[in-house]
Amino acid sequence: MATRVLCRRVRFLPGWRKRFTQAQLIHTKPKEEITDEEENKKVLEHQDASFRGEYRLHYNPLSYHHVTRNSANSHSQTDNYEEEQCFSAQAPSCWQQSNRYSVSCSRHLSSSKNTLLDLAFNKASETEAPSALSYNRKPVPPDVKVDTRAFLKCRPEYTSLSLNLTQRPHPIEWVDVLPLLQKVSVLKGRMKPSDVSQFLVELSKLHPDKMPLLLSDQRFIMLLRYSVEHLRIFSELQLLEVLQSFVWLEIPASHTVLDVFEAELRRQANQLTLHQLLLAADLWRCIGRQVPQYLQCLYDSVHLHVGQVGVPELVQLLYIIGEGRHCPKDLIRPVEQLLMRHLSQLHPEEVGTVCLGLFKSQTSLSEGAVTRIVDRALSFVTEMGDFAMVNVLKYLRFSYLYHRTWLEAMAQEVPRRTHRMGVQGLMHVTLTCSALHYRNDSILTSVAESIPSLVPHCRSKDSSKLLWAFGTLGFLPIQSPGFYPSLIDALRKRKAEFQRYPEHLLTGLLGLAFVSQFPEDLVTLALSPEFVYLSLRNSQLELKKDMFTLDGAVALELPQWKGPRLSGELREEVAEMLWKFAQSDICLKPEVLEAESALQDLLGGDKFVCKRMILPHTRSIDLEVHLDSNGQPVPVNLLCPKQSATMIPSPQSLEKINSGVPITDKLLAQLIKGKNTTDSLASSVKVTPTPCQRLPPDEGGRLFDSVLDLTNDMIETLTKPSRRDSTHQDSVCQGFKGPIKIAVQISSRNHYCAQSQQLLGLHAMKRRHLKIAGYRVVELSHQEWSSMLRKSRAEKLAYLHCKIYDNL
């Protein structure tokens, strides 16, 4: 019977027995050589094979770290902090309002899918790559050792759900193994399932140093074959025992025997308890094999056993979900409900594990749920380990939730922990701060002072994201003289990595450009034709826009630059792409349309206002205005790109704007001083004072307490400069031979650091570049202009008049 079953299973694997005996037991790659692209590619290939009904094996490295089982507790932070994958297109439910006035300032920094680019680099016959890009990646030595499975120590219940890698069986020597191998060769086909499982368990106790010798022994290979022959008649306990022995035996994740064991576990999934399913999932993780189909069986079982899910089961489930990088949509709601039910019972390290699992699987919970999770973490933040604290920050970054109290706590916790944290943990701290636009000098200064000593442990990814985060938050070089030079040097030392991760170089250089730093050798590399060609081969990343921004910054800030530049065709292509996006989104915002319309009325027509991207590389629009030497508007609309008729407000929409204006002493003074016949004007104005309270709209729809009707003379007085203003403007403008160029910017909260007047990096750079290009910047701040939108047309004109002419 067993033989018939085996034949039915093996017929999917033609020539399996021969290939099995010839299988090379090669150890898995160290973590330093494992990339996200390999993980993603292998998982996809595995899924594709399953749809074709094939049994195929694909090498999938360990998700978080490669288990060195002779020192299972010595996991380095380099191994622990995960290379994040590109976020999904579906934004979380609590995603913060995005920047409404500029094109996204960068692609997702965590994106690391560079398969096409990798192929391009390897095709030397097709591309003449510069010698500087010869790829020879050197492993990064670990700086801080942390235990990613520390949460398993929180409760004894975890012993039935997971494998304790710190409790390796007492090792035996090779001489003790030889009798066992001899028995295997003697018994051969007469072995029972219990014999096979017992032999494997005993052999797994061999000292790790001798394990390669065992794996290459033909008698051991014969034993593995017998385990497959007995697979269908193993009990559930024996099946899990064998799988656990594979962990200690260090069976490579690519070994063929694991393929049939995974298939058998999927077949028996309905017969396994929830604890057994979770244990098997943890064993697969310890082996380092991605098993998405088995995990789906586990997730299906969770729906059937929701009542059995307590705190340890829930935390272990989320840990497995994170390692599998996927949470089924139909499981999100039950998981959220379980989390909210058990949240008060979670320990500090368990909260960190929950956040990491949600982050890795890119699972979006409701804003209320995320807030409650962070509140729980905040209640014992001083007791949390560094790893758990960083995991909370990761999930905050993914959820884009500005939790003010937690961030204020980080201002206290991070400075006292930086001396013991590794570079990757510090990178995630500052990256979260930049993503949430939270600038705190205590955090930034403490991290900046710690980084120079950690440079030998920096990957190119760490260096580039640190530079991006600090540049985005406007941390100037003078604030920590050694910070930027040390990271620039780190980029130089790991230059070879840029051929596989070109986004790392561009990310770092953009962060430096935000604070006006341009290392010429790295800029030369980034803009070289070879690097540009190879970078553009990767269609999954928006590298064109990054190169375009860097190129534009170099052109303005390095006027003597003689190095490479992007081609004119590429610059035109990206500029057109950005402008098309702006036309479909930014240009149609009500705030922008109202500012454009009001400026046209103020200056005398649409020919005096040009809505365009003055500096396309800064990825946002401006309203351009020119004044002559007498302060009078000069037509600029001829410079504008062709605009859609839908961008111009209709006359009907303008008629709906109230013509009333509140009477103030300042407004009266402006009206009276602007006319020669002041007495007659003053006597004609009848003001009816009212109490200082908001009144309901009158029959004309006015919302102001005390108003007057505007005449043409009054509007002319408001919109044209007075003699005194003209005299002042003449004195200012006479120093300019050409027209005065003004860039009117409609800013938003997302242009600034949270609760601060500090511009974020891209927008600070834009202001700097506009001044270099000869423009004067007039900002219509979000706070001021949003409130003006609710006021009358005359007040808007008066506000814009002051903004334009007071700026001179």
Side-chain angles (χ1 to χ4, degrees), residues 340-357:
M340 297 302 99
R341 184 187 308 167
H342 299 301
L343 188 59
S344 61
Q345 304 175 49
L346 295 183
H347 295 307
E349 299 308 310
E350 290 176 322
V351 172
T353 300
V354 165
C355 288
L356 184 62

Side-chain angles (χ1 to χ4, degrees), residues 7 55 138 142 161 164 237 298-299 329 375 437 476 551 643 648 660 662 720 731 749 755 772:
C7 291
Y55 284 92
K138 298 179 181 179
L161 306 173
N164 191 339
L237 181 59
L298 168 63
Y299 302 149
K329 292 182 179 180
D375 287 340
H437 301 174
L476 300 178
D551 181 80
Q643 301 181 15
I648 308 302
K720 296 300 180 182
S731 62
R749 285 189 296 261
Q755 301 177 349
I772 294 174

Side-chain angles (χ1 to χ4, degrees), residues 495-520:
K495 189 183 297 185
E497 296 181 17
F498 300 146
Q499 64 175 289
R500 296 196 64 171
Y501 307 104
E503 71 274 18
H504 292 174
L505 176 60
L506 295 172
T507 296
L509 290 179
L510 283 180
L512 287 168
F514 293 162
V515 291
S516 197
Q517 299 291 300
F518 297 90
E520 295 191 4

